[in-house]
Amino acid sequence: MQVLHDAPLAPLTTFRLGGPATRLITATTDAEVIEAVREADAAGTPLLVIGGGSNLVIGDKGFDGTALRIATRGVELSGTTLELAAGEVWTDAVARTVEAGLAGIECLSGIPGSAGATPIQNVGAYGQEVSATITEVVAYDRTAGETVTLTNAECAFSYRHSRFKDEPERYVVLRVRFELEDAGGLSAPVKYAETARALGVEAGDRVALATARDTVLKLRAGKGMVLDPEDHDTWSAGSFFTNPILTDTDFAAFRARVRERLGADVEPPAYPAGEGRTKTSAAWLIDKAGFTKGYGAGPARISTKHTLALTNRGGATTEDLLALAREVVAGVREAFGVTLVNEPVTVGVSL
C-alpha cells in the first residue's frame, strides 16, 4: 500500500483537473482497500474512492481527506462466467472477452475507467449496458462493516443509475461478476441503430465479435471518446450529460418548444423509456440550443468531435469547465425547457 501526502489528483483523472488530496492511498489488494476504508471511517476522515478517474470532476481546491486509488488486479474467466477485480482496466477486460469468443459487453469497448466503476453508473453504450450481464457485485459495506455480495436485482440498476449511486457513502466495489454468452464467436444481437448502420446489418442481427468491437472503437474514436493523450478532445469525462427522460406531459411541452423554435416540421429525438416516459438526446439539445462542436473561447470547450463532451484544451481549471457546463445547462433550459443533468461525479464542486 502506497501512501502520499498533499498528492496531486489531476493526473489521476481523464479531465486532468482538480487540486491535491490531503492523503492519497494506492491499494493493490482487496484487503488493502478494506483496511484503508476502515481506517478513514474510524477516524471520521472524508474518503474519495478513485478508479480510472474517467467520471470525476474534482474542485480546484482538491480534496480535504483521504483519496483511495483502487489498483487491484485480477481477471477470472471460467466458461461464460467472468469475474473482474475493481481496479482492472475496463476496456482491456472487454478485449479479453472478445478474444475468448464471449458476447455481451463487446459494444462497451473503448470506455475508459475501471471495472469497479461500471456497476455504479450502469455503464452503457451502443445498445448495451453492464446491468444486462452483471450477476453479482462484491463490495465492502461501510455501514455494516463487512464484505457483502449483491445480486443483480439488489443493485437496483436503471439508466445510468444504481443502488451504489443512491448510497454513495455506503459501498466500495471490490469485484464484479458477469455472465456472458457463447454465441459461436458472434456478438450479441445488435440493438443500436448507429452501430447497425456502421456494420451494414439490420437491428437484431449478429456479427463477428471482433468486427463489433472494432466498429465501436472506430465510432467512439470519431467522437473523441477513446483516450489519446495527444488529442485534447479526449481530455474529458466522455458524455458530460445524461440523456433526459421525460414524462409524457413534459415531452409534449418540450416538443411544442422545439416546433416553436425550429419549425413545425421538426421532430426531436424520441426513444421509449418505460410506460409514460420518453428519452431524448442531450447531444441534440445542446447542438440545437446553439452550442455546436468546438464551442467556447477559453481553455475549456465543447469537443470538436461531439457536442456531448466538455473538454480541457490544456491549462483549464475546474472552474473553467464548470462555467462552460453551467452555460450549456442554462442555454438548453432557456431554449427547450429541459434541464440537463451531469453524468460525472463532482467532488467539492457542483453545477
Side-chain angles (χ1 to χ4, degrees), residues 21-74:
T22 306
R23 186 171 69 151
L24 171 64
I25 295 176
T26 299
T28 58
T29 67
D30 289 354
E32 289 181 353
V33 172
I34 294 169
E35 179 186 346
V37 174
R38 283 178 171 166
E39 180 187 287
D41 287 348
T45 303
L47 181 70
L48 170 64
V49 178
I50 300 177
S54 61
N55 202 44
L56 278 180
V57 178
I58 299 173
D60 293 316
K61 292 182 179 179
F63 182 69
D64 185 12
T66 296
L68 172 59
R69 179 171 175 248
I70 297 182
T72 54
R73 292 290 182 267

Coordinates of all heavy atoms in Angstrom, one line a residue, residues 21-74:
A21 N -5.1 16.0 -2.9 CA -5.7 15.4 -1.7 C -4.8 15.5 -0.5 O -3.5 15.5 -0.7 CB -6.0 13.9 -2.0
T22 N -5.4 15.6 0.6 CA -4.5 15.6 1.9 C -3.7 14.4 1.9 O -2.5 14.4 2.3 CB -5.4 15.7 3.1 OG1 -6.3 16.8 3.0 CG2 -4.6 15.8 4.4
R23 N -4.3 13.3 1.6 CA -3.5 12.0 1.6 C -4.1 11.1 0.5 O -5.3 11.1 0.2 CB -3.7 11.3 2.9 CG -2.8 10.0 3.0 CD -2.9 9.5 4.4 NE -4.2 8.9 4.8 CZ -4.3 7.9 5.7 NH1 -3.3 7.4 6.3 NH2 -5.5 7.5 6.0
L24 N -3.2 10.4 -0.3 CA -3.5 9.5 -1.3 C -3.0 8.2 -1.0 O -1.8 8.0 -0.9 CB -3.0 10.0 -2.7 CG -3.1 9.1 -3.9 CD1 -4.6 8.8 -4.2 CD2 -2.4 9.6 -5.1
I25 N -3.9 7.2 -1.0 CA -3.5 5.8 -0.7 C -3.8 5.0 -2.0 O -4.9 5.1 -2.6 CB -4.3 5.2 0.4 CG1 -4.0 5.9 1.7 CG2 -4.0 3.7 0.5 CD1 -4.8 5.4 2.9
T26 N -2.8 4.2 -2.4 CA -3.0 3.3 -3.6 C -3.0 1.9 -3.0 O -2.0 1.4 -2.5 CB -1.9 3.5 -4.6 OG1 -1.9 4.8 -5.1 CG2 -2.1 2.5 -5.8
A27 N -4.2 1.2 -3.2 CA -4.4 -0.1 -2.7 C -4.3 -1.1 -3.8 O -5.0 -0.9 -4.9 CB -5.7 -0.2 -2.0
T28 N -3.6 -2.2 -3.7 CA -3.4 -3.2 -4.7 C -4.1 -4.5 -4.4 O -4.1 -5.4 -5.3 CB -1.9 -3.4 -5.1 OG1 -1.3 -3.9 -3.9 CG2 -1.3 -2.1 -5.6
T29 N -4.7 -4.7 -3.2 CA -5.4 -5.9 -2.9 C -6.8 -5.5 -2.2 O -6.9 -4.4 -1.7 CB -4.7 -6.8 -1.9 OG1 -4.5 -6.1 -0.6 CG2 -3.3 -7.1 -2.4
D30 N -7.7 -6.4 -2.2 CA -9.0 -6.1 -1.6 C -8.8 -5.8 -0.1 O -9.4 -5.0 0.5 CB -9.9 -7.3 -1.7 CG -10.5 -7.5 -3.1 OD1 -10.2 -6.6 -4.0 OD2 -11.1 -8.5 -3.4
A31 N -7.8 -6.6 0.5 CA -7.6 -6.4 1.9 C -7.1 -5.0 2.2 O -7.4 -4.3 3.2 CB -6.6 -7.4 2.4
E32 N -6.2 -4.5 1.3 CA -5.7 -3.1 1.5 C -6.8 -2.1 1.3 O -6.8 -1.1 2.0 CB -4.6 -2.8 0.5 CG -3.3 -3.6 0.8 CD -2.2 -3.3 -0.2 OE1 -2.4 -2.6 -1.2 OE2 -1.0 -3.7 0.1
V33 N -7.7 -2.3 0.4 CA -8.8 -1.4 0.2 C -9.7 -1.3 1.4 O -10.0 -0.2 1.9 CB -9.7 -1.9 -1.0 CG1 -11.0 -1.1 -1.1 CG2 -9.0 -1.8 -2.3
I34 N -10.0 -2.5 2.0 CA -10.8 -2.5 3.2 C -10.1 -1.9 4.4 O -10.7 -1.1 5.1 CB -11.2 -4.0 3.5 CG1 -12.1 -4.6 2.4 CG2 -11.9 -4.1 4.9 CD1 -12.4 -6.0 2.5
E35 N -8.9 -2.1 4.5 CA -8.1 -1.5 5.6 C -8.1 0.0 5.5 O -8.3 0.7 6.5 CB -6.6 -2.0 5.5 CG -5.7 -1.5 6.6 CD -4.3 -1.8 6.5 OE1 -4.0 -2.8 5.7 OE2 -3.4 -1.2 7.1
A36 N -7.9 0.5 4.3 CA -7.9 2.0 4.1 C -9.3 2.6 4.4 O -9.4 3.6 5.0 CB -7.4 2.3 2.7
V37 N -10.3 1.9 4.0 CA -11.7 2.4 4.2 C -12.0 2.4 5.7 O -12.5 3.4 6.2 CB -12.7 1.6 3.4 CG1 -14.1 2.0 3.8 CG2 -12.5 1.7 1.9
R38 N -11.7 1.3 6.3 CA -12.0 1.2 7.8 C -11.2 2.2 8.6 O -11.7 2.8 9.5 CB -11.6 -0.2 8.3 CG -12.6 -1.3 7.9 CD -12.2 -2.7 8.4 NE -13.3 -3.6 8.2 CZ -13.1 -5.0 8.3 NH1 -11.9 -5.4 8.5 NH2 -14.1 -5.8 8.1
E39 N -9.9 2.5 8.2 CA -9.1 3.4 8.9 C -9.7 4.8 8.8 O -9.8 5.6 9.7 CB -7.7 3.4 8.3 CG -6.8 4.4 9.0 CD -5.4 4.5 8.3 OE1 -4.7 3.5 8.5 OE2 -5.2 5.5 7.6
A40 N -10.1 5.2 7.5 CA -10.7 6.5 7.3 C -12.0 6.7 8.1 O -12.3 7.7 8.7 CB -10.9 6.7 5.8
D41 N -12.9 5.6 8.0 CA -14.2 5.7 8.7 C -14.0 5.8 10.2 O -14.7 6.5 10.9 CB -15.0 4.5 8.3 CG -15.5 4.5 6.9 OD1 -15.4 5.6 6.3 OD2 -16.0 3.5 6.4
A42 N -13.0 5.0 10.8 CA -12.8 5.1 12.2 C -12.3 6.4 12.7 O -12.7 6.9 13.8 CB -11.8 4.0 12.6
A43 N -11.6 7.1 11.8 CA -11.1 8.4 12.2 C -12.0 9.6 11.8 O -11.7 10.7 12.1 CB -9.7 8.7 11.5
G44 N -13.1 9.2 11.1 CA -14.0 10.3 10.6 C -13.5 11.1 9.5 O -13.9 12.3 9.3
T45 N -12.5 10.5 8.8 CA -11.9 11.3 7.7 C -12.7 11.1 6.4 O -13.1 10.0 6.0 CB -10.5 10.7 7.4 OG1 -9.7 10.8 8.6 CG2 -9.8 11.5 6.3
P46 N -13.0 12.2 5.7 CA -13.7 12.1 4.4 C -12.9 11.2 3.4 O -11.7 11.2 3.4 CB -13.7 13.5 3.9 CG -13.6 14.4 5.1 CD -12.7 13.6 6.0
L47 N -13.6 10.4 2.7 CA -13.0 9.4 1.8 C -13.5 9.6 0.3 O -14.7 9.7 0.1 CB -13.4 8.0 2.2 CG -12.8 6.8 1.4 CD1 -11.2 6.7 1.6 CD2 -13.4 5.5 1.8
L48 N -12.5 9.6 -0.6 CA -12.8 9.7 -2.0 C -12.2 8.5 -2.7 O -11.0 8.3 -2.6 CB -12.2 11.0 -2.6 CG -12.3 11.1 -4.2 CD1 -13.7 11.1 -4.7 CD2 -11.5 12.3 -4.6
V49 N -13.1 7.7 -3.3 CA -12.6 6.5 -4.0 C -12.4 6.8 -5.4 O -13.3 7.3 -6.1 CB -13.6 5.3 -3.8 CG1 -13.2 4.1 -4.6 CG2 -13.8 5.0 -2.4
I50 N -11.2 6.4 -6.0 CA -10.8 6.7 -7.3 C -10.5 5.4 -8.0 O -9.7 4.6 -7.5 CB -9.6 7.7 -7.4 CG1 -10.0 9.0 -6.8 CG2 -9.2 7.9 -8.9 CD1 -8.8 10.0 -6.7
G51 N -11.1 5.2 -9.2 CA -10.7 4.1 -10.0 C -9.9 4.6 -11.2 O -8.7 4.9 -11.1
G52 N -10.5 4.6 -12.4 CA -9.8 5.1 -13.6 C -9.9 6.6 -13.7 O -9.2 7.2 -14.6
G53 N -10.7 7.3 -12.9 CA -10.8 8.7 -12.9 C -11.4 9.3 -14.2 O -11.3 10.5 -14.5
S54 N -12.2 8.5 -14.9 CA -12.8 8.9 -16.1 C -14.2 9.5 -15.9 O -14.8 10.0 -16.8 CB -13.0 7.7 -17.1 OG -13.8 6.7 -16.5
N55 N -14.7 9.5 -14.6 CA -16.0 10.1 -14.4 C -16.0 11.0 -13.2 O -17.0 11.1 -12.4 CB -17.0 8.9 -14.1 CG -18.4 9.3 -14.3 OD1 -18.7 9.9 -15.3 ND2 -19.3 8.9 -13.4
L56 N -14.9 11.7 -13.0 CA -14.7 12.6 -11.9 C -14.4 14.0 -12.3 O -13.6 14.3 -13.2 CB -13.5 12.1 -11.0 CG -13.6 11.0 -10.0 CD1 -12.3 10.7 -9.4 CD2 -14.7 11.3 -9.0
V57 N -15.1 15.0 -11.6 CA -14.8 16.4 -11.7 C -14.4 16.9 -10.3 O -15.2 17.0 -9.4 CB -16.0 17.2 -12.2 CG1 -15.6 18.7 -12.3 CG2 -16.4 16.7 -13.6
I58 N -13.1 17.1 -10.1 CA -12.6 17.4 -8.8 C -12.3 18.9 -8.7 O -11.7 19.5 -9.6 CB -11.3 16.7 -8.4 CG1 -11.6 15.2 -8.4 CG2 -10.7 17.1 -7.1 CD1 -10.3 14.3 -8.3
G59 N -12.8 19.6 -7.6 CA -12.6 21.0 -7.5 C -11.1 21.4 -7.5 O -10.2 20.7 -7.1
D60 N -10.9 22.7 -7.8 CA -9.5 23.2 -7.9 C -8.9 23.2 -6.5 O -7.6 23.2 -6.4 CB -9.5 24.7 -8.4 CG -10.0 24.7 -9.9 OD1 -9.5 23.9 -10.7 OD2 -10.8 25.6 -10.3
K61 N -9.6 23.3 -5.4 CA -9.1 23.2 -4.1 C -8.7 21.8 -3.7 O -8.0 21.6 -2.6 CB -10.0 23.8 -3.1 CG -10.3 25.3 -3.2 CD -11.2 25.9 -2.2 CE -11.4 27.4 -2.3 NZ -12.4 27.9 -1.3
G62 N -9.1 20.8 -4.4 CA -8.7 19.5 -4.1 C -9.7 18.8 -3.2 O -10.8 19.2 -3.0
F63 N -9.1 17.8 -2.4 CA -10.0 17.0 -1.5 C -9.3 17.0 -0.2 O -8.2 16.5 0.0 CB -10.1 15.6 -2.1 CG -11.0 14.7 -1.2 CD1 -12.4 15.0 -1.2 CD2 -10.5 13.7 -0.5 CE1 -13.2 14.2 -0.4 CE2 -11.3 12.9 0.3 CZ -12.7 13.1 0.3
D64 N -10.0 17.5 0.8 CA -9.5 17.5 2.2 C -9.9 16.2 2.9 O -10.9 16.1 3.6 CB -10.1 18.7 3.0 CG -9.5 18.9 4.4 OD1 -8.5 18.2 4.7 OD2 -10.1 19.7 5.1
G65 N -9.1 15.2 2.7 CA -9.4 13.9 3.2 C -8.5 12.9 2.6 O -7.4 13.2 2.1
T66 N -8.9 11.6 2.6 CA -8.1 10.5 2.1 C -8.7 10.1 0.7 O -9.9 9.8 0.6 CB -8.2 9.3 3.0 OG1 -7.5 9.6 4.2 CG2 -7.5 8.1 2.4
A67 N -7.9 10.2 -0.3 CA -8.3 9.7 -1.6 C -7.7 8.3 -1.7 O -6.5 8.0 -1.5 CB -7.7 10.6 -2.7
L68 N -8.6 7.3 -2.0 CA -8.2 5.9 -2.1 C -8.2 5.5 -3.6 O -9.3 5.4 -4.2 CB -9.2 5.1 -1.3 CG -9.0 3.5 -1.5 CD1 -7.6 3.1 -1.1 CD2 -10.1 2.8 -0.6
R69 N -7.1 5.3 -4.2 CA -7.0 4.8 -5.5 C -7.0 3.3 -5.5 O -6.1 2.6 -5.0 CB -5.7 5.3 -6.2 CG -5.6 4.9 -7.7 CD -4.4 5.6 -8.3 NE -4.2 5.1 -9.7 CZ -3.1 4.4 -10.0 NH1 -2.1 4.2 -9.1 NH2 -3.0 4.0 -11.2
I70 N -8.0 2.7 -6.2 CA -8.1 1.2 -6.2 C -7.3 0.7 -7.4 O -7.7 1.0 -8.6 CB -9.6 0.8 -6.3 CG1 -10.3 1.2 -5.0 CG2 -9.7 -0.7 -6.4 CD1 -11.7 0.8 -4.8
A71 N -6.3 0.0 -7.2 CA -5.4 -0.5 -8.2 C -5.3 -2.0 -8.2 O -4.3 -2.6 -8.5 CB -4.0 0.1 -8.1
T72 N -6.4 -2.7 -7.7 CA -6.4 -4.1 -7.6 C -6.5 -4.7 -9.0 O -7.0 -4.1 -10.0 CB -7.6 -4.6 -6.8 OG1 -8.8 -4.0 -7.4 CG2 -7.5 -4.2 -5.4
R73 N -5.9 -5.9 -9.2 CA -5.9 -6.6 -10.4 C -6.4 -8.1 -10.3 O -6.3 -8.7 -9.2 CB -4.5 -6.7 -11.0 CG -4.0 -5.3 -11.4 CD -4.7 -4.8 -12.7 NE -4.2 -3.5 -13.1 CZ -4.6 -2.3 -12.7 NH1 -5.7 -2.3 -11.9 NH2 -4.1 -1.2 -13.2
G74 N -7.0 -8.6 -11.3 CA -7.5 -9.9 -11.3 C -8.6 -10.2 -12.3 O -9.6 -9.4 -12.3

